[in-house]
Amino acid sequence: PIGVDDYGNEISFSFGEMTESYSAIIVGAPGTGKTSLIGNILVESAKKYSAKEIQFILMDYKPGGVEFN
């Protein structure tokens, strides 16, 4: 789980061996919560897996994209 919606329903985001999807791309207009979503995915993954079990590669292509330094 990565959060809850406005009605208290749990929101999940799954990838990896369980889903056979090992990559994701998150796109959207500025201010739509992409950075918050990625932050939630990272935090919740860190709660469940050790650094030896999971690897993330984050890319930000906008000029000055330094949100995840």
Side-chain angles (χ1 to χ4, degrees):
I2 58 171
V4 293
D5 65 15
D6 293 338
Y7 303 101
N9 300 313
E10 189 176 86
I11 300 170
S12 294
F13 183 87
S14 299
F15 59 103
E17 189 173 316
M18 187 171 72
T19 63
E20 296 185 8
S21 295
Y22 293 92
S23 60
I25 185 168
I26 299 172
V27 298
T32 57
K34 298 176 301 295
T35 300
S36 295
L37 172 62
I38 294 169
N40 286 341
I41 291 169
L42 294 172
V43 167
E44 293 302 321
S45 296
K47 288 179 183 177
K48 186 172 182 176
Y49 301 101
S50 73
K52 292 182 179 183
E53 294 176 295
I54 194 164
Q55 177 182 13
F56 287 99
I57 299 170
L58 304 174
M59 294 178 271
D60 189 346
Y61 290 106
K62 76 175 175 230
V66 295
E67 192 70 38
F68 292 104
N69 263 354

